[in-house]
Amino acid sequence: MKMIYLDHAATTATDPEVLEAMLPYFHEHYGNPSSIYSMSRVSKNAIENAREIVANALGANPKEIVFTSSGSECDNFAIKGVALAKQQKGNHIITSSIEHHAVLYTCKFLEKNGFTVTYLPIDQDGIVKLDELEKAITPQTILITVMHANNEIGTIQPIRQIGEIARKNGITFHTDAVQTFGHIPVNVDNLNVDILSISGHKFYGPKGVGALYIRKGIKITPLIHGGDQERRRRASTENVPGIIGLGKAVEIAGKVMKSEAIRQTKLRDEFIRAILDNIDDARLNGHPSLRLPNNVNISFEGIEGESILLNLDIERIAASTGSACSSSSLEPSHVLLSIGLTHEFAHGSVRFSLGKQTTKDELDYVVEALPGIVKKLRAMSPLYKK
Amino acid sequence: MEPYSEKVMDHFRNPRNVGEIENPDGVGHVGNPMCGDVMEMYIKVKDNVIVDAKFKTFGCGAAIATSSMATELVIGKTIDEARQITNKVVAEALDGLPPVKMHCSNLAEEALEAAIKDYHQKQKKN
Ligand SMILES: Cc1ncc(COP(=O)(O)O)c(C=O)c1O
Ligand code: FES
């Protein structure tokens, strides 16, 4: 039987059309975009074309787009770059307690290097408290960074309002849109953002390529020094095939995003309902409606996440606990603890993330397999006494 | 993370001796401070020999497999022999554990230790 892949928030399969668009740039048009001869112009033009596609999708100017190696690099670049560029002005950064580690650990790193960071609390649905944000702002605040949607529980943040508050106070605002871009509308002016991170592999593009939107006039120090590429904001010979692939993935997303979001939201809600109807003492984590169309995160009382995943794997179902990157860490997810779950409940959570290929039949299969798995694990749990 | 061995997956898939023992001669209830996982071990002792052992575990795959293996290893052993069953012995019997999962096997050793201690305390009282 085929694997039922429900871990699209971790990564997606590269769309065959994307792959096809990339291939010639490995061996045919392999010229270094910075070189002078005509062969290089092909790759140079292709990069600029991709830049335009990304810019258009975001409602930005192509000059405001910098290609990077990943979502993680985008987050590091945005945060460290603004911190360094504005350190004369202040040393205070505001973020949320449920950011991806690429943001959280970058902030922790800056804390060890003379910056102070406020980690905003969130409510039980995972939404940042705006009044806490206003209270946290000081004359020293140089950057606010709050993610567009959370990778674990899928909650979508009030980015537009946060951006308004940032702008009113003259503070640079960055958002990590890695989980939203290509899935729901992301427009930099609607969202009032100054800097925004995206990553190719989360929406059927290749791994190892990202793009950072940097609004004109925003001060930022480069992370990678060297050559003159990317208007001197990021040195290194461009990952031409990757960038072409990213552009193609954005182009495809533009065509299918709307219908996919509707389709997946419907599947998502039916799936959540079916799980909660069939299994006692389970709860949905995250906001019921302000959530990514593809995100389902459920906690099962009295049992532990990894043992659920291993059992799902035996049934050929791929899901994850919290974020894939922390699946070997022992701590329960910082996101689930932040929304107020007990240690045990946080330990017993599973994230199913849907994708373009996900069908109703696949989800029905999971709904059938789950109760048995939960029952078996609960029977051997000393914490479940019902 | 490294994948689990076949033996670990076998014990995870079909855990031996799951459950509780009514009127046990010893019970050990321990938690893993590293991850918050929990294990209970029940033993039945006759003439200084562990004649039955059962467990309940809230934990990862490694925790469940080591619990299962530990109960298999102790059944039929004298109390003194059972004391020699360390987490390493359990892990080896499972053809090893991924390094990040070695701490999970402590749970089985400690639960067994606690069950034996409880047995001794009950003996003293009688
Ligand atoms: C919200 C969020 N930010 C950043 C990243 C990192 O992206 P990348 O894997 O491209 O470094 C991810 C995915 O892992 C993510 O979900
Ligand atoms: S992670 Fe807790 S016992 Fe293995």
Side-chain angles (χ1 to χ4, degrees):
Chain A
M1 202 188 95
K2 214 175 110 231
M3 194 85 201
I4 295 179
Y5 184 75
L6 293 173
D7 203 14
H8 292 85
T11 196
T12 57
T14 305
D15 190 305
E17 238 186 285
V18 169
L19 181 60
E20 202 187 325
M22 292 170 69
L23 285 176
Y25 293 89
F26 283 100
H27 57 111
E28 220 174 299
H29 312 304
Y30 57 83
N32 190 319
S34 303
S35 301
I36 196 85
Y37 33 81
S38 52
M39 165 188 179
S40 289
R41 227 165 293 143
V42 180
S43 37
K44 177 78 185 156
N45 288 344
I47 288 179
E48 293 319 314
N49 181 44
R51 197 185 309 280
E52 213 168 297
I53 294 170
V54 174
N56 282 342
L58 289 168
N61 187 299
K63 287 184 183 154
E64 296 172 311
I65 306 297
V66 177
F67 290 116
T68 70
S69 72
S70 63
S72 298
E73 187 191 326
C74 286
D75 290 342
N76 273 264
F77 182 9
I79 297 166
K80 290 176 191 163
V82 170
L84 283 177
K86 294 178 77 176
Q87 59 185 334
Q88 307 307 336
K89 188 165 174 278
N91 70 343
H92 180 229
I93 295 166
I94 300 175
T95 185
S96 85
S97 56
I98 59 164
E99 296 298 308
H100 189 270
H101 284 156
V103 168
L104 225 43
Y105 291 167
T106 302
C107 288
K108 298 264 180 221
F109 166 80
L110 288 175
E111 274 184 302
K112 286 200 196 112
N113 287 277
F115 292 86
T116 59
V117 180
T118 301
Y119 300 90
L120 295 174
I122 51 172
D123 69 15
Q124 58 185 24
D125 292 328
I127 293 182
V128 167
K129 298 177 176 165
L130 294 179
D131 51 335
E132 298 280 347
L133 168 63
E134 302 224 41
K135 271 190 262 166
I137 293 172
T138 74
Q140 295 294 311
T141 309
I142 50 173
L143 174 70
I144 296 172
T145 169
V146 174
M147 70 201 313
H148 192 185
N150 182 265
N151 46 302
E152 291 187 40
I153 56 174
T155 301
I156 298 169
Q157 300 294 345
I159 293 301
R160 187 184 165 83
Q161 285 95 304
I162 296 173
E164 233 168 72
I165 294 169
R167 199 157 289 170
K168 203 172 62 193
N169 289 278
I171 300 165
T172 302
F173 177 40
H174 164 249
T175 191
D176 173 337
V178 167
Q179 288 290 337
T180 49
F181 185 77
H183 299 281
I184 60 172
V186 175
N187 179 290
V188 291
D189 287 336
N190 282 346
L191 294 176
N192 294 323
V193 298
D194 298 317
I195 312 180
L196 181 143
S197 308
I198 69 178
S199 172
H201 72 102
K202 304 288 187 180
F203 57 100
Y204 311 95
K207 294 169 181 64
V209 63
L212 190 66
Y213 159 79
I214 306 167
R215 187 178 290 279
K216 186 169 184 271
I218 292 295
K219 289 198 171 56
I220 188 162
T221 303
L223 204 59
I224 301 181
H225 296 90
D228 283 346
Q229 293 89 352
E230 298 298 294
R231 300 161 53 84
R232 292 207 184 151
R233 283 175 300 184
R234 184 188 188 269
S236 169
T237 301
E238 297 85 343
N239 170 9
V240 184
I243 292 168
I244 305 315
L246 177 73
K248 192 71 187 173
V250 174
E251 193 184 306
I252 297 170
K255 289 184 206 146
V256 302
M257 186 170 81
K258 212 166 166 185
S259 57
E260 268 304 307
I262 293 169
R263 191 187 74 91
Q264 288 181 27
T265 300
K266 184 162 175 283
L267 284 179
R268 175 196 76 188
D269 290 342
E270 286 167 1
F271 186 53
I272 292 170
R273 172 147 303 276
I275 292 176
L276 297 182
D277 281 352
N278 280 294
I279 300 175
D280 291 335
D281 304 309
R283 58 160 278 169
L284 175 72
N285 298 313
H287 196 282
S289 58
L290 292 174
R291 74 187 296 136
L292 289 169
N294 72 348
N295 175 287
V296 175
N297 187 309
I298 309 259
S299 282
F300 301 96
E301 193 182 335
I303 56 179
E304 190 270 348
E306 188 197 279
S307 56
I308 305 172
L309 289 193
L310 288 170
N311 273 298
L312 287 169
D313 188 43
I314 293 169
E315 305 283 345
R316 314 271 309 143
I317 299 162
S320 83
T321 55
S323 55
C325 11
S326 52
S327 63
S328 67
S329 93
L330 308 168
E331 287 294 307
S333 135
H334 64 287
V335 177
L336 297 174
L337 293 178
S338 292
I339 56 172
L341 293 198
T342 60
H343 203 283
E344 285 84 22
F345 233 138
H347 235 319
S349 90
V350 178
R351 178 188 72 186
F352 301 96
S353 44
L354 287 48
K356 281 201 284 195
Q357 274 86 27
T358 305
T359 63
K360 175 98 173 84
D361 279 353
E362 286 183 324
L363 297 178
D364 287 347
Y365 178 81
V366 179
V367 169
E368 279 204 12
L370 257 181
I373 291 171
V374 172
K375 193 167 167 216
K376 176 180 161 190
L377 290 171
R378 279 181 175 166
M380 66 171 99
S381 168
L383 302 182
Y384 194 77
K385 309 250 168 181
K386 286 177 197 167
Chain B
M1 194 183 86
E2 276 176 49
Y4 286 130
S5 71
E6 279 297 316
K7 267 241 178 83
V8 170
M9 282 313 289
D10 174 41
H11 276 262
F12 174 75
R13 225 172 273 175
N14 306 298
R16 334 291 199 250
N17 308 308
V18 175
E20 299 173 18
I21 294 178
E22 262 184 63
N23 305 316
D25 296 312
V27 187
H29 182 108
V30 295
N32 188 332
M34 301 266 289
C35 62
D37 291 347
V38 180
M39 176 173 175
E40 276 172 8
M41 172 127 30
Y42 300 79
I43 53 172
K44 195 91 195 158
V45 185
K46 217 178 213 155
D47 302 330
N48 209 38
V49 172
I50 298 176
V51 292
D52 197 10
K54 286 203 186 302
F55 80 91
K56 281 196 148 185
T57 294
F58 167 90
C60 66
I64 290 172
T66 49
S67 312
S68 164
M69 180 52 95
T71 56
E72 271 210 326
L73 289 174
V74 297
I75 294 174
K77 298 266 192 322
T78 64
I79 291 289
D80 278 343
E81 285 167 343
R83 279 225 178 87
Q84 311 299 314
I85 298 174
T86 61
N87 69 323
K88 284 210 183 68
V89 173
V90 178
E92 267 162 34
L94 288 165
D95 295 338
L97 285 171
V100 293
K101 289 287 177 182
M102 269 313 284
H103 76 98
C104 311
S105 60
N106 291 336
L107 215 50
E109 178 183 324
E110 284 163 18
L112 179 60
E113 225 174 70
I116 292 175
K117 197 167 155 207
D118 183 50
Y119 165 69
H120 282 311
Q121 266 161 3
K122 279 186 181 144
Q123 290 299 100
K124 268 188 222 144
K125 271 193 223 147
N126 291 342

